[in-house]
Every structure is written in C-alpha cells, then in structure tokens.
Amino acid sequence: MNKKIWDLYAPIYERAMRSDRKVYQLMYDRIPKVIGEKDVLEVATGPGLLAKHVAYAANKMIATDYSEGMIAEARKGKYPANLTFEVADAEDLPFDDKSFDVVLIANALHVMPNPEKALMEIGRVLKDKGILIAPNFVNHKGGFISRIWSGILKIAGISFEHQWEEEEYRQFLEKNGWKVKNWKVMQARIPIVYAECVRSR
C-alpha cells in the first residue's frame, strides 16, 4: 500500500477508531497481562493508540510504523517513559535476532501485500519462547456494517490485500509457523480476531 495514504490518514486515524473503543478496551485489558515486565515490539503501531494503553506493563516497548506521518502522530501527547516510537518497515526490522519477548501486530497483516515476510521478520526478532500477539480484522464481507465500512475505507484509498474469514486467518498463522494459544472473536464494525501465538516450529 502507498505509504503516502497512511501519512495523510494519520491525523484522523484515532477519531475513525473511536466507535470501536469498547472492543479495543478488551485488548487494553488483556495485553498488559501478557507483556508484564517483558521487552515488547509493536509493528505497524499507526498513531500509537494500542502502545500508549499497554506499554506501562512492559519492561520496555518500542512501537514502529513505516509511515512517518503515523509516527509523528504517535509521538504527540503523553505516554509512558518506557515507550519509544520509531519508523521501521515490518519486512525489514532494524533489530537484532531474538531481541524481544513479545511482538505485537494489530490490524495490519491484512493490508500488507506480503504478510508472510512480516511474520518472518517477527519470528527473527522474537526470542525462541516469545509470544506473538496478532489481532486482525476478519469477515470483511460478513455483515452489512462490515461491507459498508470496508467500502468507505476503499474509497479513502485503504485497500485490504487479504480478506480472511476467521478460520482462514487461523490457518494463515499456522501455515507460517505459529500455533494459536488464545483466540477470541470480537464484534466491531469489522470483526476482529484476537490471537496470541507461539512458534510451532
């Protein structure tokens, strides 16, 4: 996807997500329990909403995005001192092998032309017994509201490269070397699957 689209979208991203705040609150409550006292990387942080809500629980957290506009937005306002924001490409992360206990990538794999490459990079920087947290939109065409919202995003220039159903997304993760340990479908304008994974190979 064209990086300029995300740079332009950055200032209004947070407002666009407000109607699903109850769903995101479920993640804000769950993720700190998983990342407590751990070194955490977030890939495709956008304007940093998730990172700012959960970083307090981590030992340290680095949140990245390939859009300079998104990172500029993320650095605004208050956030925990153990959280830093950096520009980085999900397919070419500037971190050493086995650097993190947890990697978080939320609602991003479906917009990537080659999400397999991002998962390979995540696997490289994640410690052997690390955890991947990968919530993602599913069932884009499953209901009236989902179809309407998907159409609005498409008009805005945000296309979905992959439109997985729930089980298709699980199979995608498993095919790419991840075993799903915790799985929950959350109803939003476009449903979100919350997935916690460990390596399967």
Side-chain angles (χ1 to χ4, degrees), residues 42-72:
E42 185 182 15
V43 176
T45 190
L49 293 177
L50 187 55
K52 289 177 180 179
H53 278 86
V54 305
Y56 72 89
N59 176 47
K60 67 175 181 180
M61 184 169 183
I62 301 173
T64 66
D65 201 283
Y66 87 146
S67 163
E68 291 89 350
M70 286 292 188
I71 292 299

Side-chain angles (χ1 to χ4, degrees), residues 132-175:
L132 166 64
I133 304 176
N136 208 84
F137 291 122
V138 294
N139 302 344
H140 299 78
K141 299 178 180 179
F144 178 73
I145 294 176
S146 295
R147 292 195 301 271
I148 292 296
W149 186 239
S150 296
I152 291 170
L153 293 176
K154 185 175 182 179
I155 292 169
I158 299 173
S159 61
F160 297 149
E161 300 288 342
H162 307 277
Q163 298 191 19
W164 295 297
E165 300 295 325
E166 295 168 27
E167 190 56 33
E168 287 175 333
Y169 182 55
R170 182 195 291 268
Q171 291 171 2
F172 166 75
L173 292 171
E174 292 178 347
K175 181 180 178 181

Side-chain angles (χ1 to χ4, degrees), residues 85-105:
F85 292 102
E86 298 182 13
V87 176
D89 188 335
E91 297 182 9
D92 187 21
L93 295 169
F95 306 108
D96 292 336
D97 296 355
K98 302 180 182 181
S99 295
F100 299 95
D101 302 297
V102 181
V103 176
L104 170 63
I105 180 169

Side-chain angles (χ1 to χ4, degrees), residues 33-46:
K33 298 175 183 177
V34 181
I35 69 172
E37 301 301 318
K38 294 180 169 65
D39 293 340
V40 182
L41 171 68
E42 185 182 15
V43 176
T45 190

Side-chain angles (χ1 to χ4, degrees), residues 102-133:
V102 181
V103 176
L104 170 63
I105 180 169
N107 295 332
L109 290 169
H110 66 295
V111 300
M112 296 179 177
N114 299 298
E116 298 87 356
K117 290 184 178 180
L119 288 178
M120 286 181 64
E121 270 294 270
I122 287 170
R124 181 184 66 78
V125 303
L126 190 63
K127 295 178 182 178
D128 290 340
K129 295 184 178 180
I131 299 170
L132 166 64
I133 304 176

